[in-house]
Amino acid sequence: MAASRQNPKPTNKAHLALLFFLVMAACALLVIFFLGPIQQGFSYKKVYGNDDAITLGPGWEAVLKIENAPSLATQLDLTVYCKAGPCGQLEVRGEQGGAWRGPSAGDAGAAYFRIEKQEGALDELLIKNDAKRNILIGEYRVKDYVANNSNTPAFIVSLHPKYIEYSPAVKIGLWLAMLLLQIASLWVALRGNAGTRQAISALLVVLPVWLALVASWILAGQKLYLTLAPDTLLILAGAGGVIISAVRWGPGLAGQFVERVNQCMLSPVPGASQLRLDKIIAPIIYVILGLCLSYVTVFSLIPGNNAPEWTVGPYTWLIFLAVLAALGLIWRLGLGKLLAALSEKLPFWPIIALGFLLRMAWALFSHVKQPSDWRQFCQMAVEIFQGVYIINPAKPTGPSLIAAGVYQLIGQPCVLAALVPVALASSLEIALAYSIARRYFGEKAARISALLLALWPAHILMANLMGSDTYFSFFALLAMWLWTRLNNRPLDLVWAALAGLSLGAAHWMRPTTPFFVLALLGLTALLWYRRPLKLALLTVGLFFGLALLIAPMMVINQEKLGIPSPVPAQLGCWSLLEGANQKTQGWYSMLDLRLVAQEAAVRDWPENMPRALRLEAVARDMAWQRISGDPVAYLQLCLFQKPLSLWGRVNHQRHSLATSVLGRWDQGIETYANYWHKVMLALAAVALLWGGLRGALPSGVFFAMTLAALIASAAHTILEVQPRYHFMFIPWLSILVGSWLVMPARRERAKVKPPSQWQ
């Protein structure tokens, strides 16, 4: 053993490898040190042809080397054509000096420059992008101002960020740091392994730096020149050290981490936390929301509370009472027994097949003309299909992205084809609601809940509109269903990430995803606050999936707006302004849209400020003026009127019906849908109050869905409100009412403890 420890072979190999590395590093140091100014980070130079588009990042410069430049002209005109947005703040100057020259004229897609000729041929121009976003230059034309001839020359364009010239002392210091880092990494590699593994480990340390140098030489032959700064090489050297450290110590650390995570994820819910949620917190939330829905059920019947979808007349309350009395009589005559029989004998698949056929037939054969917001979604789908943009500051583009994907599959825009995934998502909600209801209320209640949702008029009628409501409802419900899969296993992290991914998709449809994120986090925190590590792991898993889809949105908004906004459309102040409009009772107003645009047009703004941010600032100021002007009236609007607008009416049926094949019966269908909605809302209010006071409703994800409905109700007392904003909670209402209608199960739950599983 002593002889093997003193074996000189590995040491000699280490010395040789280290000597070889030092010699190569010294040679590279001398070569790069004397190349001239060293640029910070990566820079590159590429030859562009006539048809090549160039992307100029913020602060980037492009050198345009004109081949066969006119030598007799005293002035030249340069026209720059930009794609996917305005040219913005491009500036041009001659390479030999002179002040920057802005465009002499311009429009959204082009900038025109007049450049005075320097001494000799004007064969180089320098273009700079001072905007805070990328500018895509698609075409150039140079015109001889005197001879009045024009051409489209080829340019040799050198794109680079602003560079820093290092002093010799800084250069030497960076290189010494890089060498020391690689020496330390080599010591780790050669000391921790032997034989072939030793050589492979040494290569992993050395290769990043030298591969980068070799790549720069190879790319130079392809007219793409890569300049490597010493700080860049220092980063590459550090990458080698990270790689070898991961090879040597990674498996052991990973094993310890996985073992610790497994132990954490296998731990059950603390009994005290589960008891507090089941006995105190959940019943309180149920009762609060039950009181809210009871208030809405009663006071939304008062004459004068009108909406474009449905007018509350002087006898609406009397008709509603008559409907309830008739339903009670039918129930006593046998409807209850019929539902009980259906809950026992009716299979699930006929229910979902019925719901699918109703929605698909309505989507494809109603021949509706997409109105209002839905017309904008159709237009955005065509523009996305044509490659104009991905995000539009005016509306969330998630539904249009799905439609544009359908257009790509069939090769052309077709609204009917885009309605197929809408009807499919609406049908899948029936299956998700069935699964959640079966977990918490049993098979019988699940079948009745699925049947109610399959026949829910508002849910069916929305399937022929290419908007965000159905998609958002589906992805939010899918996230809730994914959260039910958690069951104290290591795989729970995967389910949490998938739930976050689903909520990220919902966020592309509408920026109200925080309602459901907060609900899931609230449920998890209430159960696991005594286990902070598990709470942190589940939270990280949820936000990891969420970030996968929200991060691209933030990058695009950074490029377009100059801020990394996670909002897919209008920022929050516009909704706050609409919510403070007492004339419309918090509804959307076209007049407000014009007022904000007019005010933004007359104010003085920074030159680089995007229009969306200007409108946001104006909306914020106008909203505060409305709130501070009459705070008492604003408070009354928030507390008493907006809950009626959110929950008291069915969602926008006139848009689905007015231009459809059933347009002549639209008022009758709207009336039927509204009475259906009010009956279900009344039953849901009773179920929440009864279940909360008796402690007969479960917690878990059903509690999270109820909490999301309460958060949405509170948020829309401040923000803009419309009846269709409750559409995402129709599956929750069907589950709640379905569980209540299964009478034997309800009586049984009143006698026993509700389910205690936390998922």
Side-chain angles (χ1 to χ4, degrees):
M1 294 294 293
S4 63
R5 290 177 182 173
Q6 298 177 359
N7 190 347
K9 289 185 178 182
T11 305
N12 292 337
K13 288 182 179 180
H15 288 165
L16 290 174
L18 194 56
L19 180 62
F20 170 79
F21 169 72
L22 290 175
V23 172
M24 293 296 294
C27 294
L29 176 63
L30 293 175
V31 171
I32 296 181
F33 184 80
F34 291 104
L35 283 179
I38 303 298
Q39 296 180 6
Q40 184 182 28
F42 289 98
S43 65
Y44 59 93
K45 183 169 65 177
K46 183 178 181 182
V47 176
Y48 286 82
N50 296 352
D51 299 327
D52 293 333
I54 300 174
T55 299
L56 283 180
W60 282 36
E61 300 171 353
V63 178
L64 279 62
K65 193 172 185 65
I66 307 174
E67 297 177 349
N68 302 321
S71 58
L72 299 177
T74 58
Q75 289 182 337
L76 293 178
D77 282 353
L78 168 66
T79 305
V80 178
Y81 299 94
C82 301
K83 297 181 178 180
C87 287
Q89 297 166 26
L90 287 178
E91 293 182 323
V92 171
R93 70 170 180 176
E95 186 64 22
Q96 297 180 2
W100 289 98
R101 296 181 181 272
S104 58
D107 55 35
Y112 309 95
F113 303 89
R114 180 163 296 173
I115 302 100
E116 295 182 0
K117 180 187 170 209
Q118 308 289 331
E119 295 183 3
L122 184 59
D123 58 356
E124 286 190 356
L125 298 173
L126 191 62
I127 289 185
K128 181 181 179 182
N129 175 19
D130 275 341
K132 294 183 179 180
R133 60 177 180 83
N134 290 343
I135 293 180
L136 183 64
I137 302 175
E139 188 179 351
Y140 326 85
R141 294 185 187 277
V142 175
K143 180 178 180 180
D144 187 329
Y145 187 72
V146 175
N148 198 28
N149 66 330
S150 61
N151 57 13
T152 306
F155 292 96
I156 299 176
V157 180
S158 174
L159 302 176
H160 55 80
K162 297 178 181 179
Y163 63 85
I164 297 177
E165 294 188 9
Y166 295 101
S167 65
V170 174
K171 294 177 184 178
I172 293 174
L174 289 172
W175 271 94
L176 288 177
M178 187 271 287
L179 293 176
L180 290 174
L181 186 56
Q182 286 221 305
I183 290 171
S185 302
L186 277 174
W187 180 81
V188 172
L190 298 177
R191 187 175 178 82
N193 303 285
T196 305
R197 293 186 62 188
Q198 187 182 66
I200 294 175
S201 301
L203 286 175
L204 289 175
V205 174
V206 176
L207 280 180
V209 174
W210 302 104
L211 282 178
L213 292 174
V214 172
S216 66
W217 297 331
I218 295 175
L219 293 175
Q222 302 177 1
K223 300 180 180 180
L224 179 62
Y225 302 93
L226 185 68
T227 303
L228 294 173
D231 52 357
T232 303
L233 294 178
L234 181 64
I235 294 173
L236 293 175
V242 171
I243 291 173
I244 190 57
S245 300
V247 170
R248 181 172 180 184
W249 294 301
L253 293 176
Q256 295 179 12
F257 176 77
V258 170
E259 182 180 359
R260 182 72 181 91
V261 169
N262 287 341
Q263 292 177 355
C264 177
M265 299 306 296
L266 290 172
S267 59
V269 179
S273 301
Q274 183 71 64
L275 186 63
R276 184 179 294 106
L277 177 62
D278 290 341
K279 295 298 184 181
I280 301 176
I281 299 175
I284 290 175
I285 296 298
Y286 295 146
V287 170
I288 291 175
L289 191 55
L291 291 173
C292 176
L293 296 187
S294 300
Y295 165 79
V296 171
T297 301
V298 174
F299 286 91
S300 64
L301 298 172
I302 296 177
N305 293 327
N306 301 328
E309 289 76 19
W310 190 43
T311 300
V312 179
Y315 301 107
T316 300
W317 65 273
L318 186 60
I319 297 173
F320 178 69
L321 291 178
V323 170
L324 288 181
L327 288 175
L329 179 61
I330 295 173
W331 183 275
R332 300 296 295 179
L333 292 177
L335 180 61
K337 295 180 180 179
L338 176 61
L339 288 177
L342 288 176
S343 66
E344 293 180 358
K345 299 179 180 179
L346 183 63
F348 164 67
W349 289 110
I351 298 175
I352 193 172
L354 174 64
F356 174 76
L357 290 175
L358 289 174
R359 285 156 177 78
M360 192 62 68
W362 179 243
L364 298 181
F365 302 110
S366 62
H367 303 298
V368 70
K369 294 180 180 179
Q370 301 293 319
S372 188
D373 289 357
W374 296 272
R375 185 187 304 112
Q376 296 182 40
F377 283 115
C378 292
Q379 180 61 34
M380 288 192 299
V382 174
E383 293 170 352
I384 293 172
F385 173 70
Q386 295 171 347
V388 178
Y389 54 75
I390 295 179
I391 284 184
N392 185 338
K395 289 287 181 184
T397 55
S400 302
L401 284 169
I402 297 176
V406 175
Y407 296 166
Q408 289 288 348
L409 290 176
I410 64 176
Q412 62 181 355
C414 177
V415 175
L416 279 182
L419 290 176
V420 171
V422 177
L424 182 61
S426 180
S427 303
L428 289 175
E429 286 191 76
I430 302 172
L432 295 174
Y434 168 82
S435 179
I436 295 174
R438 184 177 61 177
R439 182 176 187 88
Y440 292 105
F441 298 100
E443 182 67 29
K444 295 181 180 180
R447 291 173 180 173
I448 298 301
S449 300
L451 183 61
L452 287 175
L453 186 57
L455 298 175
W456 203 289
H459 206 265
I460 297 172
L461 293 174
M462 208 68 172
N464 69 347
L465 296 178
M466 200 183 78
S468 60
D469 302 274
T470 299
Y471 284 129
F472 183 88
S473 178
F474 167 72
F475 284 115
L477 188 62
L478 177 61
M480 292 294 174
W481 178 82
L482 289 168
W483 209 257
T484 65
R485 312 305 296 171
L486 275 64
N487 193 23
N488 298 326
R489 299 168 297 176
L491 194 61
D492 289 355
L493 290 176
V494 177
W495 292 116
L498 290 175
L501 197 66
S502 182
L503 289 176
H507 194 66
W508 277 84
M509 308 299 155
R510 179 180 292 169
T512 50
T513 303
F515 301 158
F516 294 87
V517 175
L518 291 175
L520 287 179
L521 290 179
L523 168 65
T524 309
L526 288 171
L527 290 167
W528 297 107
Y529 70 92
R530 295 177 180 269
R531 302 285 191 271
L533 180 57
K534 185 165 184 177
L535 173 61
L537 289 173
L538 292 174
T539 303
V540 168
L542 178 67
F543 277 96
F544 173 76
L546 194 65
L548 289 179
L549 290 181
I550 291 183
M553 182 185 302
M554 297 176 67
V555 172
I556 296 173
N557 281 332
Q558 175 65 39
E559 294 178 356
K560 289 184 173 294
L561 304 178
I563 57 173
S565 171
V567 181
Q570 299 157 337
L571 305 181
C573 291
W574 168 257
S575 184
L576 185 66
L577 171 66
E578 294 300 272
N581 191 330
Q582 297 183 25
K583 293 182 179 179
T584 63
Q585 298 181 339
W587 285 49
Y588 179 84
S589 170
M590 289 295 296
L591 178 60
D592 281 348
L593 190 63
R594 290 193 292 269
L595 290 175
V596 171
Q598 292 171 2
E599 179 67 20
V602 299
R603 287 193 184 184
D604 294 329
W605 302 100
E607 186 177 358
N608 299 336
M609 190 174 185
R611 183 174 183 272
L613 297 185
R614 298 179 183 183
L615 298 176
E616 180 74 4
V618 172
R620 180 181 62 247
D621 296 341
M622 293 178 63
W624 175 245
Q625 291 174 4
R626 287 179 176 177
I627 296 172
S628 59
D630 193 348
V632 175
Y634 174 73
L635 190 62
Q636 291 176 344
L637 172 67
C638 294
L639 295 180
F640 300 109
Q641 183 58 46
K642 285 190 176 181
L644 303 179
S645 298
L646 177 63
W647 291 102
R649 302 166 178 85
V650 78
N651 50 280
H652 294 293
Q653 299 307 295
R654 61 189 175 93
H655 296 309
S656 301
L657 290 166
T659 60
S660 71
V661 295
L662 300 180
R664 67 180 67 180
W665 301 291
D666 59 344
Q667 293 185 357
I669 297 175
E670 284 183 35
T671 302
Y672 167 73
N674 269 287
Y675 279 115
W676 173 290
H677 173 75
K678 287 190 173 294
V679 169
M680 295 301 153
L681 198 68
L683 291 176
V686 173
L688 285 171
L689 291 174
W690 182 87
L693 295 174
R694 299 290 298 271
L697 289 176
S699 56
V701 166
F702 179 79
F703 166 77
M705 297 172 71
T706 308
L707 184 60
L710 183 61
I711 294 173
S713 302
H716 283 294
T717 60
I718 301 173
L719 303 175
E720 176 205 357
V721 66
Q722 293 187 38
R724 66 188 178 97
Y725 292 167
H726 76 253
F727 183 85
M728 53 193 166
F729 297 111
I730 289 180
W732 167 75
L733 288 174
S734 71
I735 294 173
L736 189 59
V737 175
S739 67
W740 172 259
L741 291 178
V742 181
M743 187 71 71
R746 185 169 74 251
R747 290 172 177 169
E748 182 180 351
R749 286 197 306 274
K751 300 177 182 178
V752 300
K753 183 180 178 181
S756 60
Q757 62 265 35
W758 72 274
Q759 293 83 4

